[in-house]
Amino acid sequence: MKQPHVLQKGQEAFDDWVHRFQTDVFNVAYRMLGDAQDAEDAVQETFLKAYRSFQPYDAQRPPGPWLKKIAANVCLDRLSRRQPLPLDEEYPFSSSEPGPEWQSLARERNRRVRDALLSLPPRYRMVIELRHFQELSYAEMAEELGRPLSDIKFDLFRARQVLSRRLKDVK
Amino acid sequence: MNHLTDTRLNEYLDGALPPEELLEAQAHLEGCRECQARMDELKNVFTLLKALPDEQPSPALLPSTLARLPGHRGYAGWRLAFVLQGALAIALLLALLSSVLSLLPARFFDWHSRFLQPGLPALALPSPAAVFSRLQALAEALEPGSLELAPELPDIFTFTPPTLPPLMPVIELPPLTLPSFSGKSMLVLAALAGAVGMAGQFALFLRRRELEE
């Protein structure tokens, strides 16, 4: 049986994780879901899931990548519960006209990139998230998603192709 | 000249090509403007994704996330609120039930005595030997072959079997009495439900204020 002070330390360590990584986790969710409120709900779900599998000795290992992977999976689950679309059909892409709230060029560019990401089907969004933002290798992505390496590569390259077309005029 | 396939171009940019293929791809890219242009388009995607800045979540996210964690001090507040809200629901249900019962006529509660007629055995099963001897007595009491020879079967509603001694002492049960639910008791229950609900809401309010601080 674990000693109370060990559990207490684990609790404190986990609270520290929430403080340190909530912004990172939020940004994973925000990139994948595109809505701040949904993203915050996903953050809470992520930390709850992480907490359930948390052990005090986990404080020794780097938690950031682990938490971000959980967050990506939480978001993928949420996206799959939404209205499903065929994989080859792209999500509606918003107009490239700048909105009044986007004053600077940098903001406009970031909005275009986020819109392009959200135009991808969930599977493509997931591989872009894992490769470009979490910097997982092909093999790590295949293991994380439980899919063949060839599928992962196909999705990643196809997602980049779509993004490249969408963002051709954005520099 | 064979151009680089999309797969090789992507693997090149990801640094996933084996050394010998990497040199080959580099050599090709130096001399092929078409593949260079395709690579530049892909590189643009890499650059734009890398430049995407992080956004800040709302300040309320941290306390609300911590409050939802089991074992955290905020969690006790949520659990208490959950229990209180459950108690409120039960109290409301009781109040509703009491109001329905108070509207029913008193004779509705006489079902107990209506089903347990005096003179019949109740609440205990007779032994197999007793059942056998009772059937035997019943058969003797009936005229032999009367059921078979009768031109019409006896009306089961008016047919009265011969009176037989009871197998066992009749257990006389007192008539069932339910507490009468008056309008006053209903009001008391409703007030109780309201008090529990308000206490729950107040606990939630205090907890939320504490977390926001």
Side-chain angles (χ1 to χ4, degrees):
Chain A
M1 188 178 167
K2 294 180 179 92
Q3 297 301 313
H5 72 278
V6 175
L7 288 176
Q8 184 62 34
K9 279 187 179 176
Q11 179 74 52
E12 287 168 8
F14 196 84
D15 286 2
D16 183 48
W17 287 8
V18 178
H19 280 87
R20 282 165 56 203
F21 296 108
Q22 70 147 357
T23 303
D24 289 349
V25 170
F26 171 79
N27 276 282
V28 171
Y30 188 50
R31 281 190 296 267
M32 289 194 69
L33 301 174
D35 178 82
Q37 186 56 54
D38 285 354
E40 293 195 354
D41 291 346
V43 170
Q44 296 194 344
E45 190 179 339
T46 298
F47 280 110
L48 266 178
K49 280 196 169 177
Y51 187 90
R52 290 192 189 112
S53 55
F54 173 75
Q55 297 293 327
Y57 61 78
D58 284 345
Q60 303 302 319
R61 73 179 179 185
W66 179 58
L67 289 169
K68 287 197 278 188
K69 275 191 278 186
I70 295 175
N73 279 307
V74 164
C75 294
L76 191 62
D77 284 349
R78 284 172 172 251
L79 288 169
S80 65
R81 286 199 294 269
R82 289 181 185 174
Q83 187 68 26
L85 286 180
L87 193 59
D88 286 338
E89 186 178 338
E90 288 162 16
Y91 279 38
F93 187 58
S94 65
S95 160
S96 60
E97 293 297 316
E101 71 274 23
W102 300 98
Q103 300 298 324
S104 71
L105 286 173
R107 279 189 168 187
E108 169 59 14
R109 183 193 63 203
N110 294 334
R111 185 186 70 86
R112 293 280 308 276
V113 175
R114 286 192 192 279
D115 282 352
L117 271 175
L118 294 173
S119 77
L120 296 174
R123 267 171 59 181
Y124 291 177
R125 239 181 278 183
M126 184 69 169
V127 288
I128 290 288
E129 170 62 34
L130 294 181
R131 176 69 196 136
H132 285 270
F133 296 98
Q134 302 192 23
E135 299 178 347
L136 267 61
S137 68
Y138 297 156
E140 286 169 332
M141 285 195 289
E143 187 185 346
E144 177 64 25
L145 298 174
R147 293 169 55 205
L149 198 63
S150 55
D151 282 11
I152 298 295
K153 284 185 182 179
F154 177 86
D155 283 2
L156 180 63
F157 303 162
R158 172 87 179 116
R160 283 173 178 165
Q161 199 178 16
V162 174
L163 288 178
S164 172
R165 202 167 62 239
R166 297 282 194 209
L167 301 170
K168 204 168 188 173
D169 60 334
V170 181
K171 299 294 175 192
Chain B
M1 180 167 59
N2 289 330
H3 291 297
L4 293 179
T5 62
D6 282 342
T7 300
R8 291 193 72 195
L9 205 51
N10 274 280
E11 287 174 342
Y12 174 76
L13 286 173
D14 282 325
L17 282 178
E20 64 277 12
E21 289 186 36
L22 177 66
L23 291 174
E24 197 180 314
Q26 274 174 339
H28 177 84
L29 282 167
E30 282 170 11
C32 179
R33 300 187 72 167
E34 191 180 328
C35 287
Q36 184 73 46
R38 285 167 55 216
M39 188 179 72
D40 287 346
E41 281 182 6
L42 270 179
K43 264 189 175 175
N44 186 42
V45 172
F46 279 53
T47 307
L48 290 172
L49 290 175
K50 198 172 179 60
L52 199 62
D54 275 357
E55 298 289 332
Q56 288 301 314
S58 72
L61 178 62
L62 180 64
S64 59
T65 303
L66 288 173
R68 286 189 64 185
L69 296 179
H72 196 274
R73 66 195 180 98
Y75 182 71
W78 291 107
R79 199 168 44 186
L80 174 67
F82 178 76
V83 169
L84 288 176
Q85 297 292 342
L88 170 67
I90 291 170
L92 280 173
L93 195 64
L94 285 174
L96 185 67
L97 184 66
S98 71
S99 62
V100 170
L101 289 176
S102 68
L103 294 175
L104 292 174
R107 64 185 172 82
F108 178 80
F109 301 107
D110 290 343
W111 59 273
H112 182 260
S113 53
R114 261 196 273 160
F115 284 104
L116 295 174
Q117 298 293 333
L120 290 177
L123 296 180
L125 288 175
S127 67
V131 171
F132 179 76
S133 64
R134 184 176 173 86
L135 287 174
Q136 207 171 19
L138 184 62
E140 286 170 4
L142 291 170
E143 288 181 22
S146 63
L147 288 178
E148 291 172 9
L149 298 175
E152 290 181 0
L153 287 174
D155 183 354
I156 58 170
F157 296 107
T158 57
F159 176 73
T160 51
T163 306
L164 295 172
L167 285 171
M168 58 193 71
V170 173
I171 302 169
E172 291 292 344
L173 294 174
L176 182 66
T177 54
L178 292 177
S180 73
F181 289 87
S182 65
K184 279 183 185 173
S185 61
M186 189 177 72
L187 276 177
V188 169
L189 281 172
L192 181 67
V196 171
M198 286 185 71
Q201 293 301 321
F202 188 61
L204 276 176
F205 169 73
L206 287 179
R207 175 57 60 193
R208 188 170 298 166
R209 201 174 63 170
E210 184 187 334
L211 290 172
E212 282 172 359
E213 283 170 358

